[in-house]
Structure formats: structure tokens, C-alpha cells
Amino acid sequence: MLLALGIFTAFAGSQTISPGEIWPDDRGQHIQAHGGGILKVGGTFYWFGEERSRGLNPTYRYVSCYSSTNLAQWTFHKDALKVYDPENFRPGWILERPKVFYNAKTKKFVMYMHVDDASYKLARVAVAIADTVDGDYQWVKSFRPLGHESRDIGQFIDDDGTAYLIFEDRPFGFRIAKLSDNYLNVEKEMCLIPMHMEGGAVVHYHGLYYAIGSALTGWNPNPNKYATAKSLEGPWSDFTDIAPPEKNTYGSQSTMMLKVTGMKATTVIFMGDIWKPATQWDSRYLWMPLEIGDGKLSLPEPKPWTLDVETGESVISK
Ligand code: DGJ
């Protein structure tokens, strides 16, 4: 019995989230969901991201899908999207930062992602759809949202369920725009924040919107910053560092803020990537509960922590 329990515990992984460490899935393999995003369906969280395992067919691009009920232990489902240069973007084409929305009207899962040619000149988003959360997603099209350049994208679903795309428009800044009814188009710009920021993410917390992003330093970390606004249209405050600037966001770059509201508390998780450009399959994740409220946001020094998704409470190790 004890032996069986031991085996089960090892298989199921740890309920502690350890920033920067190898994060094994149910197969014991490091999670491959880089530049990712999370969609909650019922009581289950689905994590989508760039699958960058070694040994993949280099002519394809892959978006992985994992699921979890506690955000710490993840089960690999499959590559929800596997696609071979669908619009002749040419060898070396880019697929980054996939994010999935669920459209309750059409009952379709809609994936957005940044697609580009090898030199990042196309600057487009692509859309793929599926009837089931883990796919297979079918490519629909690529386009420039509202005619603008779009590189890094982020996803924001407001408390009223409205879905927004955040995208980096290199000449101008960082835009937040509402999706169309069926989510297949980007319909209405809410704001242009005239800051050159990547890794854009937004959370709505106690009546205030908080936006974060990183500077444009390629794969290298930099001090990520945040601003606040009472409405998505702004006006937005000035941007301030989320952590001591010399820490360079503890080596990470924002990809999403996930709000977990439980029976007792709400935890907002900073989800960041610690990129390893020469060994991308080994890129790590920095997830930490943010200190947030009253217009202030800060990323604590990374330490192992636990989350109770039922109560919404998180505890950081001493
Ligand atoms: C920074 C972006 O945030 C990443 O998604 C990736 O596009 C790298 N730049 C490429 O240098």
C-alpha cells in the first residue's frame, strides 16, 4: 500500500510550484508550453504554448495543450495544433505565443497566435479553430489586426466575459482590442498605449485594470513594467517596474496574468518565461503570485509556493 502511494505521488508530481525549475508533466517530461496562455473550462485549466521539444519535425510548428485542476500538476494532452507553413511564410517561419479563447455563441475554441516570416517582417496574427479544447485546431487565416503590425500577443478575458487581444504594434506601441462576436476577427480598438512593450498582459482586479509588458530586448530579460487604468480605454498611468530593475524580472518575461478567484481570496499569478534561446526546449517558467491592489503591483522574489484553487489562497515558502 505504502509503495503504491509512493509511486502515485511520484507520478502525479508536486503540488508546489517551483519557479525556474524543470516542471515535469504527468509523463515526467519538462512542460513545453512556452509563451503560453491558460483557458479555464469548467473546473479545468488548459495551458497552451509553444512546443519546442528536441527532435520535432523542423518543418512543422506545434502548439501544445496540457490540463490541470490545481495549476501545479499538468497532464499532457497532445499537440493541439500541428501545422506546416500554411500560407507560404517560407522556411524558418515563426509561430509564437498561442492563446485560446472559448466562444460560447459558436461553441468553438479559437486560437490566436503570432505568425511571421523568419525575419519577423510579416507581423501578423493567425486564427485556428476547433470543436474541442485540445483540438485538432484547423487553420483559418492570418491577418494584421485592424491593419496594424502585430508581433507579441496577449489574451485578456474581462470579468463580463468579453475577449480582448493585446498586441505589439512596433511603430506605435501596445494595443488592446476587442474580438468580434465569433472571435474570428479583431473588431474594436480599446486603446493604444504608446509604449514599446512585448509580452503584454492585462488583469482586472478590484475595479482596476493592470497592464504589464517587457521592453524589446529579444530573448534577454529586462525590467518588466506595469500601468493601471480605471477603464481599458485609459487614461493609463505611467509605467513602473514590477520588481527591482536590477533583477531584470528575475530573468523572466511576462506572458500572462492569471486571476484565480476562490472562496476566500483571489490570487493573481504572474506567468513568465525564462528563455534559453540556444536550448529553447529547456526554457523555464517563472510563475509567482503577485502582490497586487490599490493601484500597486509587484512581483515577489521567486520562491517555491503553493496554491489552493478552491480557496484562492497562495502560500510562498519562507
Ligand atoms: C521577444 C518576444 O517576446 C518573444 O516572443 C520572441 O519573439 C523573441 N522576442 C524573439 O527574439
Side-chain angles (χ1 to χ4, degrees):
M1 173 63 188
L2 270 183
L3 182 67
L5 202 63
I7 289 168
F8 177 76
T9 312
F11 175 76
S14 166
Q15 291 202 33
T16 300
I17 296 175
S18 300
E21 301 295 321
I22 291 278
W23 196 339
D25 65 10
D26 59 308
R27 304 164 300 173
Q29 296 177 19
H30 181 48
I31 292 172
Q32 293 293 323
H34 312 286
I38 289 195
L39 178 72
K40 191 174 182 201
V41 182
T44 304
F45 298 92
Y46 292 88
W47 183 0
F48 299 88
E50 300 159 20
E51 151 84 86
R52 292 178 175 274
S53 300
R54 268 180 293 190
L56 293 174
N57 182 333
T59 60
Y60 285 86
R61 299 291 173 268
Y62 303 79
V63 176
S64 56
C65 175
Y66 297 79
S67 72
S68 174
T69 51
N70 62 13
L71 289 167
Q73 294 158 302
W74 291 91
T75 300
F76 177 69
H77 278 236
K78 62 203 268 207
D79 287 322
L81 175 73
K82 176 182 172 188
V83 66
Y84 170 79
D85 196 0
E87 296 185 25
N88 197 20
F89 298 134
R90 306 282 173 166
W93 70 284
I94 307 288
L95 189 166
E96 290 180 344
R97 296 186 176 267
K99 306 283 181 287
V100 173
F101 299 86
Y102 176 64
N103 188 297
K105 285 186 197 143
T106 62
K107 300 194 166 39
K108 300 276 185 201
F109 294 89
V110 182
M111 181 185 291
Y112 272 75
M113 60 213 113
H114 168 203
V115 291
D116 230 313
D117 63 313
S119 54
Y120 287 94
K121 291 282 188 303
L122 283 178
R124 294 164 82 89
V125 289
V127 178
I129 57 171
D131 294 326
T132 47
V133 63
D134 59 1
D136 298 336
Y137 283 79
Q138 302 300 313
W139 190 270
V140 178
K141 60 182 175 182
S142 79
F143 59 98
R144 282 190 165 182
L146 300 166
H148 298 298
E149 292 188 20
S150 173
R151 292 186 177 82
D152 278 9
I153 60 162
Q155 148 183 48
F156 172 56
I157 301 170
D158 208 342
D159 297 339
D160 65 2
T162 311
Y164 299 91
L165 187 76
I166 304 157
F167 60 99
E168 192 252 321
D169 176 10
R170 191 66 48 97
F172 301 103
F174 169 128
R175 296 185 195 264
I176 302 173
K178 186 169 159 298
L179 301 186
S180 63
D181 262 7
N182 62 9
Y183 291 2
L184 298 182
N185 290 299
V186 176
E187 190 174 75
K188 182 179 176 227
E189 179 168 309
M190 307 307 292
C191 64
L192 162 67
I193 303 178
M195 288 281 289
H196 296 286
M197 299 193 96
E198 297 188 317
V202 171
V203 71
H204 192 179
Y205 183 79
H206 288 184
L208 206 57
Y209 293 92
Y210 295 74
I212 61 173
S214 79
L216 277 61
T217 55
W219 301 112
N220 298 321
N222 56 66
N224 292 192
K225 296 180 189 295
Y226 78 97
T228 61
K230 288 198 180 116
S231 115
L232 284 179
E233 285 98 334
W236 287 86
S237 69
D238 287 340
F239 277 80
T240 310
D241 292 322
I242 69 169
E246 68 279 8
K247 301 286 185 193
N248 277 332
T249 321
Y250 303 103
S252 73
Q253 181 190 24
S254 56
T255 186
M256 190 174 199
M257 286 187 283
L258 181 66
K259 184 164 82 170
V260 181
T261 303
M263 287 168 322
K264 291 191 189 160
T266 296
T267 289
V268 178
I269 304 173
F270 172 86
M271 293 168 52
D273 294 285
I274 300 177
W275 297 110
K276 297 197 180 182
T279 52
Q280 284 285 26
W281 57 87
D282 189 36
S283 293
R284 307 289 172 90
Y285 310 99
L286 191 159
W287 289 18
M288 279 300 287
L290 287 165
E291 284 163 16
I292 186 169
D294 297 327
K296 301 264 183 270
L297 178 154
S298 76
L299 175 65
E301 190 190 336
K303 288 189 181 154
W305 62 286
T306 55
L307 174 70
D308 182 333
V309 295
E310 300 300 327
T311 65
E313 294 167 312
S314 52
V315 179
I316 301 177
S317 308
K318 294 258 169 8

